[in-house]
Amino acid sequence: MKTRVDLREAARGLAFQLGDVWASPDLLESARLTWRGRMINERESASVFEGLSAQLERTSASPELVSEVRGFADEERRHGELCGAVLEALGGQAIYEADTPESFPQHEDVSLDEAVLRNVLSICCLAETVAVALIGAERLEMPEGPLRELLSGILADEIGHARFGWRYLDQVVATLDPKTRASLGDYLQVAFAHLEVHQHQNLQLGSSPAASGASLGLCDASAQRALFHDTVERVIVPRLEAAGLPARRAFALRHEAAAQA
Ligand SMILES: [Fe+2]
Ligand SMILES: [Fe+2]
């Protein structure tokens, strides 16, 4: 079952204009595909944070913490509209048929606190931290202008989403016993495997746009994949190891988790 998601009105209401950007028809088509993909990803991220806030609400987390995460869902919804506005400015339509969303992982095989930590690790410490690196690199290559400004706003929010995860981990890490740390290590294997599949889907090789593509947010997929791997191995894994989680082993064994899935 597909659901129609229509962001046209919201996107057009933002009246985004690209400014002085020239692009060939091929480049324009690639840019439309890229911003359409982003719009969909951002919109799906809103559901993910809604799921996380609902799960957090069932724990002893403070109402402030729950509402912070609910605010992230609002930000992701807004990112979806912003990306839709870019798509419209490129001549596309901010409307798509969404697959029935995957249900939010409840991880009922472990305690509620561990289930929340699994999701915070996967969403904030992994996916959002990678998003910060990739968007940050893209922004650096982009010339000054309205699109760079738009991306800067999105990046600032993604930094907040990633930081939330690392802060949350720091707060709960002292309460974790060795058995829970080992169990989280097993989970990280699966989370790393999923993250890699998702990133490789987004960063399809064979798309090395012309230099002028940077002004439209088009990136060299192989460079972005390399940055993704660097971010995981040099930032995420060491940070998780410092928190006492066996992340290096989990990352090394991620393909085994993928094979069992
Ligand atoms: Fe976002
Ligand atoms: Fe985000």
Side-chain angles (χ1 to χ4, degrees):
M1 244 252 309
K2 300 255 188 188
T3 320
R4 172 167 285 215
V5 181
D6 189 348
L7 303 180
R8 287 177 297 182
E9 205 182 315
R12 287 171 194 170
L14 292 169
F16 177 76
Q17 298 209 332
L18 276 168
D20 192 17
V21 174
W22 179 88
S24 67
D26 278 1
L27 213 54
L28 265 182
E29 185 50 28
S30 302
R32 281 195 284 267
L33 280 172
T34 295
W35 285 94
R36 187 181 168 72
R38 286 182 182 167
M39 171 182 76
I40 297 170
N41 272 339
E42 294 285 1
R43 186 68 185 198
E44 281 170 3
S45 296
S47 315
V48 168
F49 278 117
E50 272 160 18
L52 182 59
S53 66
Q55 197 183 34
L56 257 179
E57 207 166 15
R58 290 164 41 219
T59 69
S60 56
S62 67
E64 291 75 23
L65 203 77
V66 175
S67 87
E68 188 177 1
V69 175
R70 208 170 282 131
F72 295 161
D74 294 337
E75 288 172 356
E76 300 292 13
R77 246 187 304 279
R78 167 95 176 155
H79 295 173
E81 291 169 7
L82 286 167
C83 294
V86 178
L87 176 61
E88 292 270 340
L90 289 162
Q93 299 236 359
I95 184 167
Y96 66 98
E97 301 285 329
D99 294 321
T100 313
E102 274 180 48
S103 56
F104 185 78
Q106 297 296 333
H107 300 300
E108 277 164 351
D109 53 319
V110 293
S111 70
L112 180 58
D113 285 343
E114 187 176 340
V116 168
L117 184 51
R118 280 187 180 187
N119 286 324
V120 170
L121 286 170
S122 160
I123 299 163
C124 302
C125 301
L126 271 56
E128 294 284 347
T129 302
V130 166
V132 168
L134 297 184
I135 298 173
E138 179 188 333
R139 186 182 156 278
L140 275 180
E141 286 181 21
M142 195 177 269
E144 292 285 343
L147 199 53
R148 193 176 205 255
E149 223 168 277
L150 179 143
L151 210 56
S152 301
I154 292 179
L155 177 62
D157 291 342
E158 310 302 12
I159 290 171
H161 305 166
R163 278 195 183 147
F164 172 87
W166 296 112
R167 218 169 55 229
Y168 187 88
L169 177 62
D170 285 343
Q171 275 163 10
V172 300
V173 79
T175 66
L176 304 176
D177 58 31
K179 196 168 151 261
T180 309
R181 284 170 202 258
S183 152
L184 287 166
D186 292 343
Y187 169 70
L188 279 172
Q189 255 187 65
V190 181
F192 280 131
H194 281 174
L195 180 73
E196 189 171 46
V197 168
H198 180 71
Q199 289 299 330
H200 284 191
Q201 268 168 2
N202 282 344
L203 303 167
Q204 296 285 338
L205 294 178
S207 56
S208 297
S212 53
S215 61
L216 293 174
L218 293 172
C219 305
D220 179 336
S222 67
Q224 291 278 88
R225 279 193 186 196
L227 177 59
F228 157 62
H229 281 276
D230 279 352
T231 306
V232 172
E233 291 178 67
R234 296 189 196 175
V235 178
I236 296 174
V237 165
R239 184 73 177 73
L240 292 171
E241 285 280 340
L245 299 181
R248 194 162 302 286
R249 182 175 183 277
F251 185 62
L253 295 178
R254 69 195 183 282
H255 295 304
E256 289 181 24
Q260 283 163 19

